[in-house]
Amino acid sequence: MMNRHFSGLLAAVLVVFPASVQAQEPVDTALVLAVDASGSIDPLEFALQREGIAAAVTNPDLLDIVRFGQHGTIAIAYLEWGGPGTAETVVPWSFVSDAQTAGLFADKVLRAQRSLQSYNAIGDAIVAGHALLDACPCQPTRRVIDVSGDNPDNRSIVPAPLARDRAVDAGIVINALAILQDSYAGASGQPWLVEAYQAEVIGGPGAFVMTADSRQDFERALLDKMLLEIAAPVPKRNPDLDSNKVASGEHSARLE
């Protein structure tokens, strides 16, 4: 049953990018920005998120890293998620190599209509991001899904750990940005949402969770996160990295 749901969600997203029209352009990173648009986010908070994305993508420090990459280009897509199976590609794949192309992508993000979402299906967002990466009209050195949110997965058709493990098996790295809304700590002493994302969302060599102390801190945190994602060395699969370690979050900083 779960395999059928997973395949169905993949097929639904892949329809947007038929393989027959893909032109394969080499890029250093193909990055899906999977952003929380669920009902817990009011219009002002949502605007801060989009403004943070636009500012991060056009930041000169980030563009310097892009420019000095092997190919000097990255591919970015912007996806909004919320309810079960409703993740939506709001801005499709764009190639960013300089201030002009970064500005065009940022403008599309700022002008796009907000998608209609309900509540917290992160697993389905990962499925949608996986499908987007499979359909990218590019040949990336790295493939990354960048998930940001303020709550754990709780309504997915495909649970986040399962979607994460399938993406990692396909060579995708999943990082997370936890937007903290309280000061509660988990068993390890870290914020409880960080622990949830470590256990259920992130995966792949070098995967990490970064935190934003508030919506106002989103721009700073996202920029720091994207700098790491785009500048990261090419991940190599570690033969000792098994599914148990992935599920328990014991897989961060595994680069060779």
Side-chain angles (χ1 to χ4, degrees):
M1 180 69 71
M2 191 62 69
N3 284 334
R4 188 170 75 245
H5 285 311
F6 183 80
S7 300
L9 286 173
L10 279 174
V13 179
L14 284 170
V15 166
V16 180
F17 296 99
S20 60
V21 300
Q22 292 180 14
Q24 300 298 314
E25 178 171 338
V27 299
D28 294 301
T29 303
L31 175 65
V32 174
L33 295 175
V35 174
D36 187 350
S38 63
S40 65
I41 300 173
D42 66 32
L44 176 59
E45 293 172 333
F46 186 75
L48 287 171
Q49 287 188 161
R50 283 202 175 175
E51 290 165 5
I53 291 168
V57 170
T58 57
N59 185 277
D61 290 339
L62 185 138
L63 292 175
D64 281 346
I65 290 176
V66 171
R67 183 162 56 92
F68 287 111
Q70 180 181 356
H71 302 294
T73 302
I74 62 173
I76 311 180
Y78 171 59
L79 177 149
E80 291 176 359
W81 60 268
T86 62
E88 181 176 329
T89 302
V90 176
V91 180
W93 287 111
S94 301
F95 294 104
V96 171
S97 57
D98 53 25
Q100 180 180 8
T101 50
L104 290 172
F105 176 79
D107 187 61
K108 290 176 183 177
V109 170
L110 292 173
R111 291 177 178 272
Q113 184 175 353
R114 180 174 178 170
S115 64
L116 297 177
Q117 302 293 337
S118 56
Y119 290 96
N120 291 33
I122 296 178
D124 298 343
I126 294 172
V127 171
H130 186 167
L132 265 175
L133 286 166
D134 283 349
C136 181
C138 65
Q139 293 179 324
T141 301
R142 293 181 296 276
R143 303 201 299 166
V144 180
I145 299 173
D146 184 330
V147 177
S148 60
D150 62 4
N151 275 294
D153 182 46
N154 56 27
R155 295 194 180 185
S156 290
I157 297 170
V158 180
L162 178 58
R164 182 268 318 277
D165 289 350
R166 286 172 170 167
V168 170
D169 286 343
I172 297 168
V173 174
I174 304 170
N175 299 319
L177 196 167
I179 303 170
L180 305 181
Q181 301 188 89
D182 56 52
S183 58
Y184 294 115
S188 69
Q190 300 180 91
W192 68 271
L193 187 59
V194 170
E195 290 187 351
Y197 283 178
Q198 286 175 337
E200 298 183 356
V201 176
I202 68 171
F208 62 90
V209 179
M210 188 162 286
T211 61
D213 294 332
S214 64
R215 298 284 171 191
Q216 289 75 13
D217 192 36
F218 182 87
E219 178 183 332
R220 188 277 314 164
L222 181 64
L223 174 60
D224 288 349
K225 190 162 178 284
M226 290 181 66
L227 289 172
L228 289 173
E229 289 165 337
I230 294 171
V234 179
K236 296 180 181 179
R237 296 302 300 275
N238 189 320
D240 296 328
L241 190 64
D242 59 33
S243 59
N244 290 330
K245 289 178 181 176
V246 169
S248 65
E250 296 174 7
H251 52 287
S252 60
R254 286 283 183 94
L255 294 176
E256 297 177 349

